[in-house]
Amino acid sequence: MTRVTHIIPLKIKINGSISVQDSKALKGEQVINGVTVFFDKDGVQAKGIFADDGFYYDKDSGARVNLGNNQFVQVNGNWYYLNNEGKIVKGEQVINGNNFYFDKDGKQVKGNFAENGAYYDENSVNEYRL
C-alpha cells in the first residue's frame, strides 16, 4: 500500500483568480489522470485488495479493476461474491437458493463457523446450524 505523505497545495483558478487549497491526505475514491483509485481513512492507497468501497484495486497501479458482477471470484486464494454493482458482499447471503456467509472482509467462510453461529462446509454450499 502507498501512503500519501505530502501533497503539494493545489492552485485552482476560479473566476479568473488563483486560490490555494490546503494540503490534505487523499481519502476515498479519487480519479487521478483518468484512473480511479482509492485511499483509506488514513490516506493509504488500496493496492491488491478489496477496499472499503467494496471494489478491488490492482496490486501494482492501484487502479480499480472490473472483476464483473453477480459472480464468485477467487483472489489471493479466497473466494468472494460480487453483487450487481461489482462490489463484494458481506454477512449472510442467499445466492441461487444457497446460503453463504462472507466475513467482515468479504471472504467466503468455508470449513469453519461464521459469526452467525453456523458451520459452512469446506467443499460444498451446505450450511449447518447447531
Side-chain angles (χ1 to χ4, degrees):
M1 294 197 192
T2 304
R3 178 181 298 264
V4 177
T5 57
H6 180 71
I7 298 174
I8 299 170
L10 298 174
K11 292 184 179 180
I12 299 176
K13 196 171 196 176
I14 300 174
N15 296 329
S17 63
I18 294 177
S19 65
V20 177
Q21 290 185 332
D22 294 335
S23 297
K24 294 181 181 176
L26 296 175
K27 295 178 184 174
E29 179 183 307
Q30 303 289 324
V31 178
I32 300 172
N33 295 328
V35 177
T36 302
V37 295
F38 188 88
F39 296 88
D40 71 12
K41 63 181 177 55
D42 298 319
V44 178
Q45 185 179 6
K47 286 187 172 184
I49 62 169
F50 286 97
D52 294 339
D53 66 350
F55 291 108
Y56 183 79
Y57 291 85
D58 183 77
K59 67 181 180 67
D60 296 317
S61 70
R64 181 186 292 170
V65 178
N66 180 356
L67 297 176
N69 57 6
N70 296 318
Q71 67 180 8
F72 283 92
V73 295
Q74 188 176 28
V75 176
N76 299 325
N78 297 299
W79 286 97
Y80 301 84
Y81 189 81
L82 306 176
N83 66 15
N84 61 346
E85 297 177 62
K87 296 179 177 184
I88 55 172
V89 298
K90 298 177 184 178
E92 292 183 64
Q93 304 289 324
V94 177
I95 301 168
N96 298 326
N98 296 303
N99 295 319
F100 296 91
Y101 192 90
F102 299 86
D103 70 13
K104 65 179 178 56
D105 298 317
K107 296 174 189 170
Q108 182 184 357
V109 174
K110 297 178 84 170
N112 210 339
F113 287 91
E115 291 179 13
N116 65 358
Y119 179 84
Y120 292 84
D121 190 89
E122 174 73 25
N123 298 310
S124 73
V125 295
N126 293 329
E127 166 194 29
Y128 304 98
R129 293 199 180 254
L130 301 177

